[in-house]
Structures are given as C-alpha cells and as structure tokens.
C-alpha cells in the first residue's frame, strides 16, 4: 500500500516513526492494528537541537510504501473488503477501501460455483461471548444514542494505572447488524422486528500511544435487543448504551503516558479520545493534621 503525507515543517506528520495502521475487515467486523514499521530501539544521538532563529517555515510532501499483509498477518487474507486507515497520535486519515479477490482463477464460472458451494458447507462463525465488566445501565455520564449510524463514547481522560484502579468508559451506538451477529437469524426475514430478537455486536477500541509502543486493541462484545426496521440499505440497525471498566481487560494498556483512543465498528469510527495514564508517585502527599 502507498500513503502520501503533506505537512508543514513546523508540525511534521511522522508516519514512518509514529504511524499506526488500522484495518477493519467489513464482512466479519474484525479490526486489527500495528505500528507502521516494526518498532526498534532508537539510537541515542544526544539532546535535540533547536532550529535556527528566523528559519522560514516550509511545506513537505512524502510518499510512503508499506506491506499491509506483513504488518497485519492475522487479518484473514481471503476475498472481501478491508477498510484501512493510518493514524499518527490524534490524527487519522480518511478511510481507504481495499477489495480482495481471488484473481483470474475465480473468473471461471465452474470455479466460482465450486467455491460458493464450499462456502455454504462451512460452519457459521460463533458469536463471541459478552465482554467482562460491561453492563447496559444508564447513568449521568452515558451519552445519548446517536440519531445517525455511529458510535459515541465518554472516556475517563486521566487515570492512575496501578493495581486496583479503574478506567471508566460510557458509550452508545447505532450500528448495522449483519445476519451472523443475530442470535435469532430467522427474524431478519420478517417485516417487523421480533421483540425477542437479540444480537451480539462488537466495538473495537484501539489505543494509540504518543510514544513508540505498539497499539493496544480491545474488542468489546455487546448485547443488543433494541432495533429499528431495515432502512434503505436493507440492514437492521441496533441501538443501545453500555458501561465498561476497561482495566478489567488484559488488552487495555498500563504503560504510563498519553494515548489517543479510537473506536471502530463496521464502516463507522469514533475518536480520537484523549487518555493519560499516570503513576502513583504523581499524587501529592497529604500532610498529617
């Protein structure tokens, strides 16, 4: 894949050193992330020098290439559509859609028919279990469900990262539902939404470090039972709210520092949301009374 960056010399877009690749496979709503390059310990070259006084600000454009398959090997590389973005801290590119196909071989009708038959023999993907430390109750920090399809989050902006600490997230969603996400798939064919219909949706959080750490990826698997009938795109949409305790999940980073947090689901994205994790030693001491 190729990326073109353009920025002022006073605020460069450091894709090579700080960039993160994020890709979502749309058919199964799977999001993965990795640094633009494999991280290596930087050379120690002494304190950075200040630019000369009176230096004229310029503009620089650069072309970058990368191997998406090498950076995200766990993404299923089968025919389908990927949605790819590049992130540098709190800046993110517009989405780029990448179609994967089987090449010239699959243009043969006999081959296409056989592959379709084989796909029909495969077992359906299992629904993931609901995520731990998530509930669906409303409180004063819960954001309203978005009127248009998408995600809205309220994330605790600063937290201690020590043992026993908490990192609170509140969220709401209005998201399309794929047939494999339904617990009662037969209801998809009905004109009215069945009151007993349930779905299991996934919203994936990506924590992008402002340092050189690898991004942390945390999928939240949420249950939904409130739906609107199929719209012009033919898809049901589920909407609801949730609360999550993020430190209950091993994937949540504990490294001290600043992060930009993004949320991805299907073709939708929310963020960046700022997050700073600090150490106990920064808490002021309270003198005895």
């Amino acid at each position: 894949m190729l990326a073109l960056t353009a920025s002022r010399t006073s605020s460069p877009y450091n894709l090579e050193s700080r960039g993160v690749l994020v890709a979502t496979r749309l058919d199964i709503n799977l999001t993965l992330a990795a640094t633009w390059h494999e991280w290596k310990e930087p050379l120690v070259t002494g304190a950075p020098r200040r630019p000369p006084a009176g230096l004229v600000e310029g503009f620089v454009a650069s072309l970058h290439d990368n191997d998406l398959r090498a950076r995200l090997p766990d993404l299923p590389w089968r025919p389908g559509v990927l949605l790819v973005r590049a992130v540098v801290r709190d800046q993110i590119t517009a989405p780029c859609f990448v179609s994967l196909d089987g090449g010239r071989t699959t243009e043969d009708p006999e081959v296409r028919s056989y592959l379709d038959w084989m796909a029909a023999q495969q077992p359906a993907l299992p629904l993931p279990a609901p995520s731990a430390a998530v509930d669906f109750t409303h409180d004063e920090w819960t954001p309203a469900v978005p009127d248009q399809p998408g995600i809205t989050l309220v994330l605790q902006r600063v937290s201690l990262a020590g043992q026993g600490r908490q990192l609170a997230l509140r969220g709401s969603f209005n998201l399309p539902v794929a047939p494999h996400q339904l617990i009662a798939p037969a209801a998809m064919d009905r004109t009215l939404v069945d009151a007993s219909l349930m779905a299991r949706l996934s919203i994936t959080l990506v924590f992008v470090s402002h340092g050189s750490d690898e991004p942390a990826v945390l999928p939240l698997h949420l249950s939904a039972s409130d739906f609107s009938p199929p719209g012009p795109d033919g898809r049901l949409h589920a909407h609801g709210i949730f609360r999550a305790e993020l430190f209950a999940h091993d994937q949540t980073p504990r490294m001290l520092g600043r992060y930009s947090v993004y949320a991805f689901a299907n073709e939708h994205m929310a963020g960046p949301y700022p997050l700073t994790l600090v150490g106990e030693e920064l808490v002021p001491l309270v003198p005895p009374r």
Side-chain angles (χ1 to χ4, degrees):
M1 64 172 293
L2 295 175
L4 177 67
T5 60
S7 60
R8 297 186 179 276
T9 53
S10 59
S11 55
Y13 193 81
N14 298 315
L15 183 63
E16 296 284 341
S17 60
R18 303 293 187 192
V20 168
L21 277 169
V22 181
T24 300
R25 187 169 174 111
L26 294 181
D27 55 350
I28 56 175
N29 189 25
L30 173 66
T31 297
L32 297 178
T35 52
W36 183 264
H37 290 306
E38 185 176 0
W39 186 81
K40 296 181 180 179
E41 189 71 33
L43 295 174
V44 178
T45 57
R49 292 180 296 177
R50 292 185 177 181
L55 186 67
V56 177
E57 184 179 52
F59 188 83
V60 60
S62 303
L63 188 65
H64 313 266
D65 66 333
N66 209 334
D67 185 347
L68 185 64
R69 188 165 187 169
R71 296 306 301 135
L72 297 172
D74 293 334
L75 206 62
W77 291 95
R78 298 190 181 193
V81 178
L82 305 178
L83 197 160
V84 183
R85 299 175 174 94
V87 181
V88 177
R89 296 179 174 173
D90 59 357
Q91 297 177 291
I92 187 166
T93 64
C96 176
F97 290 88
V98 178
S99 294
L100 305 177
D101 60 38
R104 299 275 311 262
T105 301
T106 58
E107 295 176 3
D108 183 330
E110 293 293 331
V111 173
R112 182 71 269 153
S113 177
Y114 176 76
L115 292 175
D116 291 342
W117 178 82
M118 285 296 297
Q121 312 309 309
Q122 304 301 312
L125 292 172
L127 283 174
S131 293
V134 173
D135 66 54
F136 304 95
T137 55
H138 184 278
D139 63 25
E140 58 190 295
W141 296 285
T142 305
V145 173
D147 293 329
Q148 300 300 317
I151 311 162
T152 305
L153 300 182
V154 175
L155 176 65
Q156 182 178 335
R157 295 188 60 163
V158 182
S159 176
L160 292 171
Q163 185 70 27
R165 299 299 178 181
Q166 293 186 335
L167 179 57
L169 175 71
R170 304 291 188 271
S172 62
F173 56 86
N174 178 349
L175 293 172
V177 181
H180 73 271
Q181 295 174 309
L182 287 167
I183 297 175
M188 279 289 283
D189 298 328
R190 300 177 188 175
T191 304
L192 299 177
V193 177
D194 193 315
S196 63
L197 184 63
M198 292 286 295
R200 186 74 35 76
L201 306 178
S202 295
I203 295 175
T204 301
L205 304 181
V206 176
F207 298 78
V208 176
S209 169
H210 285 212
S212 299
D213 306 302
E214 285 282 342
V217 179
L218 169 59
L220 293 176
H221 305 302
L222 310 172
S223 297
S225 58
D226 188 14
F227 301 88
S228 55
D233 62 359
R235 296 185 293 180
L236 287 177
H237 280 72
H239 22 86
I241 60 171
F242 66 94
R243 305 188 306 177
E245 166 40 47
L246 297 184
F247 279 155
H249 300 268
D250 293 337
Q251 300 97 319
T252 302
R254 270 73 170 176
M255 186 73 69
L256 305 185
R258 295 179 60 200
Y259 297 84
S260 292
V261 183
Y262 298 82
F264 300 91
N266 308 102
E267 65 269 34
H268 301 288
M269 186 210 79
Y273 298 92
L275 170 66
T276 303
L277 301 182
V278 297
E280 303 274 355
E281 69 278 4
L282 295 183
V283 178
L285 294 175
V286 178
R289 296 180 180 178

Coordinates of all heavy atoms in Angstrom, one line a residue, residues 1-4 15 20-23 36 63-69 71-72 77 84-86 93 96 98:
M1 N 0.8 -1.2 0.0 CA 0.0 0.0 0.0 C 0.9 1.2 0.0 O 2.0 1.2 0.4 CB -0.9 0.0 1.2 CG -0.2 0.1 2.6 SD -1.4 0.4 3.9 CE -2.0 2.0 3.5
L2 N 0.3 2.3 -0.5 CA 1.0 3.6 -0.6 C 0.3 4.7 0.2 O -0.9 4.6 0.3 CB 1.2 4.1 -2.0 CG 2.0 3.2 -3.0 CD1 1.9 3.8 -4.4 CD2 3.5 3.2 -2.5
A3 N 1.1 5.6 0.8 CA 0.4 6.7 1.6 C 1.2 8.0 1.2 O 2.4 8.0 1.1 CB 0.5 6.5 3.1
L4 N 0.5 9.0 1.0 CA 1.1 10.3 0.7 C 0.8 11.2 1.9 O -0.4 11.4 2.3 CB 0.5 10.9 -0.6 CG 0.9 12.4 -0.9 CD1 2.4 12.3 -1.3 CD2 0.1 12.9 -2.1
L15 N 4.7 9.8 9.9 CA 4.1 8.5 9.7 C 5.1 7.3 9.9 O 4.8 6.3 10.4 CB 3.5 8.4 8.3 CG 2.8 7.2 7.9 CD1 1.5 6.9 8.7 CD2 2.4 7.2 6.4
V20 N 0.5 4.4 12.8 CA -0.2 3.1 13.1 C -1.1 2.8 12.0 O -1.8 3.7 11.5 CB -0.9 3.2 14.5 CG1 -1.9 2.1 14.7 CG2 0.0 3.3 15.7
L21 N -1.1 1.5 11.6 CA -2.0 1.0 10.6 C -3.2 0.4 11.3 O -3.1 -0.4 12.2 CB -1.4 0.0 9.7 CG -0.5 0.5 8.5 CD1 0.3 -0.7 7.9 CD2 -1.4 1.1 7.5
V22 N -4.4 0.7 10.8 CA -5.7 0.1 11.4 C -6.5 -0.4 10.2 O -6.7 0.4 9.2 CB -6.5 1.1 12.2 CG1 -7.8 0.5 12.7 CG2 -5.7 1.8 13.3
A23 N -6.9 -1.6 10.2 CA -7.7 -2.2 9.2 C -8.8 -3.0 9.7 O -8.7 -3.7 10.7 CB -6.8 -3.2 8.3
W36 N 3.3 1.3 12.0 CA 3.7 1.4 10.5 C 4.9 0.5 10.2 O 4.9 -0.2 9.2 CB 3.9 2.9 10.1 CG 4.2 3.1 8.7 CD1 5.4 3.2 8.1 CD2 3.2 3.2 7.6 NE1 5.2 3.4 6.7 CE2 3.9 3.4 6.4 CE3 1.8 3.2 7.6 CZ2 3.2 3.6 5.2 CZ3 1.1 3.4 6.4 CH2 1.9 3.6 5.2
L63 N 6.1 10.4 0.1 CA 5.4 9.2 -0.4 C 5.9 8.0 0.5 O 7.1 7.9 0.6 CB 5.6 8.9 -1.8 CG 4.8 7.8 -2.5 CD1 3.3 8.1 -2.4 CD2 5.2 7.5 -3.9
H64 N 5.0 7.2 1.1 CA 5.4 6.1 1.9 C 4.8 4.8 1.4 O 3.7 4.8 0.9 CB 5.0 6.3 3.4 CG 5.2 7.7 3.9 ND1 6.3 8.0 4.6 CD2 4.5 8.8 3.8 CE1 6.3 9.3 4.9 NE2 5.2 9.8 4.4
D65 N 5.6 3.7 1.4 CA 5.0 2.5 1.0 C 5.1 1.5 2.1 O 6.0 1.6 3.0 CB 5.7 1.9 -0.3 CG 7.1 1.6 -0.1 OD1 7.8 2.2 0.8 OD2 7.6 0.7 -0.8
N66 N 4.3 0.5 2.1 CA 4.3 -0.5 3.2 C 3.6 -1.7 2.7 O 2.8 -1.7 1.7 CB 3.5 0.1 4.5 CG 4.1 -0.5 5.7 OD1 4.6 -1.7 5.7 ND2 3.9 0.2 6.8
D67 N 3.8 -2.9 3.4 CA 3.2 -4.1 3.1 C 2.1 -4.4 4.1 O 2.5 -4.8 5.2 CB 4.2 -5.2 3.0 CG 3.7 -6.6 2.6 OD1 2.4 -6.7 2.5 OD2 4.5 -7.5 2.3
L68 N 0.9 -4.1 3.8 CA -0.2 -4.3 4.8 C -0.3 -5.8 5.3 O -0.5 -6.0 6.5 CB -1.5 -3.9 4.1 CG -2.7 -3.9 5.1 CD1 -2.6 -2.9 6.2 CD2 -4.0 -3.6 4.2
R69 N 0.0 -6.7 4.4 CA -0.1 -8.1 4.8 C 1.0 -8.5 5.7 O 0.8 -9.3 6.7 CB -0.1 -9.0 3.5 CG -0.3 -10.4 3.8 CD -0.6 -11.2 2.5 NE -1.1 -12.6 2.8 CZ -1.6 -13.4 1.9 NH1 -1.7 -12.9 0.6 NH2 -2.0 -14.6 2.2
R71 N 2.4 -6.4 7.9 CA 2.2 -5.7 9.2 C 1.0 -6.3 9.9 O 0.9 -6.2 11.2 CB 2.0 -4.2 9.0 CG 3.2 -3.5 8.4 CD 4.5 -3.7 9.2 NE 4.3 -3.2 10.6 CZ 4.7 -3.9 11.6 NH1 5.3 -5.1 11.5 NH2 4.6 -3.4 12.8
L72 N 0.0 -6.8 9.2 CA -1.2 -7.4 9.8 C -1.4 -8.8 9.4 O -2.4 -9.1 8.7 CB -2.4 -6.5 9.5 CG -2.4 -5.0 10.0 CD1 -3.6 -4.2 9.5 CD2 -2.4 -5.0 11.5
W77 N -6.7 -13.1 5.0 CA -6.5 -12.7 3.7 C -7.2 -13.5 2.7 O -6.6 -14.4 1.9 CB -5.0 -12.7 3.4 CG -4.3 -11.6 4.3 CD1 -3.8 -11.7 5.5 CD2 -4.3 -10.2 3.9 NE1 -3.4 -10.5 6.0 CE2 -3.6 -9.5 5.0 CE3 -4.7 -9.4 2.8 CZ2 -3.4 -8.2 5.0 CZ3 -4.4 -8.1 2.8 CH2 -3.8 -7.5 3.9
V84 N -9.1 0.6 5.5 CA -7.8 0.8 6.0 C -7.6 2.3 6.3 O -8.0 3.2 5.5 CB -6.7 0.3 5.1 CG1 -5.3 0.5 5.7 CG2 -6.9 -1.1 4.7
R85 N -7.0 2.6 7.5 CA -6.6 4.0 7.9 C -5.2 4.0 8.4 O -4.7 3.0 9.0 CB -7.6 4.5 8.9 CG -9.1 4.6 8.5 CD -9.9 5.0 9.7 NE -11.3 5.3 9.4 CZ -12.3 4.3 9.5 NH1 -12.0 3.1 9.9 NH2 -13.5 4.6 9.2
A86 N -4.6 5.2 8.4 CA -3.3 5.4 9.1 C -3.5 6.4 10.1 O -4.3 7.4 10.0 CB -2.3 5.9 8.1
T93 N -6.2 9.4 8.9 CA -6.5 9.6 7.5 C -8.0 9.2 7.2 O -8.7 8.6 8.0 CB -5.6 8.8 6.6 OG1 -5.9 7.4 6.8 CG2 -4.2 9.0 6.9
C96 N -9.7 4.2 3.5 CA -9.4 3.7 2.1 C -10.0 2.2 2.0 O -9.6 1.4 2.9 CB -7.9 3.7 1.9 SG -7.4 3.0 0.3
V98 N -10.2 -1.3 0.4 CA -9.4 -2.3 -0.4 C -10.2 -3.5 -0.6 O -10.6 -4.2 0.3 CB -8.1 -2.6 0.4 CG1 -7.2 -3.6 -0.4 CG2 -7.3 -1.3 0.7

